[in-house]
Amino acid sequence: MTGICLRDATVVTKATKQREAFNLLATGEIPDIVGGGAARDFVKRYGPKGAFLPQGDLMAERAPNITAFFDEHPDLLEAITAADGNICYIPYLPDGEFGRGTFIRQDWLDALGLEQPQTVEEVKAVLEAFRDDDPNGNGRKDEIPCFNRDREKMVRLVTLWDGRTSGSDTSHDVMATDGGKVVRPDAREGYRDGIADLAEWYAEGLIDPEIFTCGAASRDDLLSENPGGMTHDGFASTSGYRTALADQVEGLNLVAFPPPASTGGVRLEEHRRIPVKPDGWPIGATNAHPVETMKSFDFWFTPEGSAPANFGVEGQADLYRGCAGLGPRGQQPDGRDRGPDVPGLSAGPRRRAAGNQPAQDGIALHESGDDITDQFPGGAFTPEEQSVYDRYRPSLRPYMLERQQAWILGTGDVREGWDGYLETLDEMGYSQVIELMNAAYARHYD
């Protein structure tokens, strides 16, 4: 359909490996197209050094569909424009607001005569009952009361103690306060108090003991083998287990429920789909076919390109091989249950669609409430700011995650070690990073 054939040179799926692959760009040959979940940060880092082609003129001349999209959404164009005015990547642009929620085994609640928990105290009581009272009925104490595919989603439970872990749907991101200041939520007291209580829950067996090592397949395992009780995950994919495992796990009834009220009485869902993801793809500076590349980028913004990207190709059951959900790439997903009427292409369900009725019911909980946070929109650095950011930021995040894991696992006490933690952050350049992020934020949004 496009006359373009892409040779897949490198595929990595985990964020850590994507970062490693991006870091190789500084020393190795740059591919014609680079795609990944961390594309934005590396475009900011290496774009001014000449690693990627500026795409603004190419987009205006050769990508009418992308141009039309940004003409209708100038705020999103601003979000991907660098401080020097260049645009160096086409982002992944989610549709819809609601991506994830908290799910619980309603069949377990029914078996134990319990209601859906509405407060922190009730959440703990339910998890204790899941741990102790054999809700799966197999006569063994094998239940995992609270589980997640990755620790980032589990740690979002600090919202129950009025803490935060992120200001966007990107894990461990900065956030903007109501006063318009950029802060790291994992350097604030609410986060500290939440981590302290999560450490207690972990020690009491309420949280998956393998939460830091379980891997992406843990949701499959803990639901199909029937020890999993409560999780926080995507609406569509998680709701789908009710149907997928209907013949394997009798009575499985995994439902989304509203965020329980925090210790301060606030119901908050920290995750929300951000209008512009850090995912996407830039064009390598050594690409010998930039015009053709941009025209191929534009294809995904047409109805003919959007259909297979979202819904698969007719006659191919494997949606991934049919290019549905093949990301992260620059495109706007289609959240509908059925695709557009394009001849020769499937209009069937897709992996990233809004989902079945239980998923729609979960989304409706957020639509009817006021529990979703605003997302941090980001900001573009000047070359000088980027230099400071690159000097300090790479070491800050690993240190903060290392301390997080240690505290939850019981190595040290977060409250006793908090002042030392903040002092170490400042020694590592935390204050400089926050200062320049506030400068970028004010420049773009004040």
Side-chain angles (χ1 to χ4, degrees):
M1 296 175 72
T2 65
I4 300 292
C5 178
L6 300 181
R7 180 174 61 84
D8 198 2
T10 303
V11 173
V12 291
T13 56
K14 292 185 177 297
T16 53
K17 292 188 178 295
Q18 287 183 7
R19 293 188 186 96
E20 291 170 4
F22 273 119
N23 284 328
L24 294 176
L25 295 177
T27 59
E29 181 180 350
I30 300 174
D32 289 340
I33 301 172
V34 180
R40 178 186 63 191
D41 289 342
F42 284 89
V43 165
K44 288 181 178 180
R45 188 173 185 180
Y46 296 119
K49 300 176 182 179
F52 305 113
L53 291 178
Q55 296 184 20
D57 291 342
L58 270 175
M59 187 175 74
E61 297 169 3
R62 304 291 183 172
N65 296 284
I66 297 177
T67 300
F69 175 87
F70 284 120
D71 284 346
E72 295 179 6
H73 303 88
D75 55 327
L76 303 187
L77 182 65
E78 175 70 17
I80 65 169
T81 301
D84 61 5
N86 284 324
I87 298 168
C88 285
Y89 84 113
I90 303 300
Y92 183 86
L93 300 151
D95 65 341
E97 294 185 79
F98 312 106
R100 297 177 182 270
T102 304
F103 288 79
I104 198 165
R105 291 289 295 273
Q106 184 64 46
D107 51 319
W108 286 14
L109 293 174
D110 295 342
L112 301 179
L114 300 173
E115 300 293 329
Q116 292 178 1
Q118 301 300 314
T119 66
V120 182
E121 294 77 13
E122 290 178 5
V123 171
K124 186 175 184 182
V126 164
L127 296 181
E128 289 172 340
F130 284 179
R131 178 193 64 192
D132 299 333
D133 298 340
D134 192 27
N136 65 12
N138 66 0
R140 301 192 303 271
K141 193 173 181 178
D142 61 349
E143 287 82 0
I144 305 296
C146 180
F147 68 96
N148 265 287
R149 289 187 288 170
D150 55 62
R151 72 176 183 185
E152 284 85 358
K153 306 306 180 292
M154 181 276 291
V155 177
R156 287 186 188 269
L157 286 172
V158 300
T159 56
L160 294 175
W161 294 272
D162 296 306
R164 295 286 300 277
T165 69
S166 179
S168 74
D169 66 355
T170 300
S171 299
H172 308 295
D173 199 2
V174 296
M175 61 178 280
T177 67
D178 292 339
K181 295 295 184 182
V182 177
V183 298
R184 282 290 310 218
D186 38 9
R188 291 161 63 89
E189 292 183 356
Y191 170 85
R192 176 199 64 191
D193 296 341
I195 292 295
D197 281 276
L198 286 181
E200 292 182 6
W201 286 20
Y202 182 86
E204 295 170 8
L206 304 183
I207 295 173
D208 185 358
E210 300 180 9
I211 188 64
F212 292 102
T213 58
C214 59
S218 63
R219 182 177 60 169
D220 294 347
D221 297 338
L222 293 176
L223 291 176
S224 63
E225 297 171 12
N226 205 22
M230 185 180 83
T231 192
H232 183 274
D233 215 315
F235 283 115
S237 61
T238 308
S239 295
Y241 282 91
R242 289 175 57 173
T243 301
L245 298 177
D247 296 334
Q248 186 173 345
V249 181
E250 183 177 357
L252 175 67
N253 189 12
L254 188 67
V255 301
F257 71 105
S262 69
T263 53
V266 177
R267 295 180 183 270
L268 182 106
E269 168 55 59
E270 188 176 57
H271 182 277
R272 184 177 189 167
R273 283 180 175 161
I274 196 168
V276 179
K277 294 278 281 183
D279 312 22
W281 47 18
I283 300 176
T286 56
N287 186 322
H289 306 281
V291 170
E292 291 82 359
T293 301
M294 179 54 68
K295 291 171 70 175
S296 73
F297 284 4
D298 194 58
F299 170 74
W300 303 108
F301 283 76
T302 67
E304 294 79 10
S306 177
N310 287 284
F311 303 98
V313 177
E314 184 176 9
Q316 292 194 19
D318 187 334
L319 298 190
Y320 186 84
R321 290 186 181 275
C323 76
L326 183 63
R329 63 182 161 197
Q331 71 171 96
Q332 184 189 31
D334 189 331
R336 297 172 294 175
D337 286 332
R338 297 185 66 82
D341 184 14
V342 178
L345 298 175
S346 168
R350 72 180 177 92
R351 196 171 50 180
R352 296 179 183 236
N356 56 19
Q357 189 58 50
Q360 296 292 337
D361 293 342
I363 291 172
L365 294 174
H366 291 315
E367 291 177 327
S368 62
D370 187 26
D371 51 40
I372 302 289
T373 59
D374 290 332
Q375 299 291 284
F376 177 71
F381 297 142
T382 65
E384 294 77 14
E385 291 168 342
Q386 187 68 49
S387 177
V388 174
Y389 184 87
D390 292 344
R391 185 185 315 145
Y392 295 118
R393 177 64 175 84
S395 61
L396 283 168
R397 187 177 189 273
Y399 170 72
M400 299 173 92
L401 292 180
E402 181 273 326
R403 293 315 307 151
Q404 178 191 99
Q405 178 172 333
W407 285 326
I408 292 176
L409 293 178
T411 304
D413 182 282
V414 61
R415 290 194 173 97
E416 292 178 359
W418 188 251
D419 289 342
Y421 170 71
L422 295 181
E423 290 174 4
T424 300
L425 289 179
D426 274 339
E427 292 170 359
M428 297 174 69
Y430 170 80
S431 297
Q432 291 95 316
V433 169
I434 290 299
E435 182 179 355
L436 66 88
M437 296 197 81
N438 272 287
Y441 184 78
R443 187 166 55 245
H444 277 259
Y445 303 104
D446 280 359

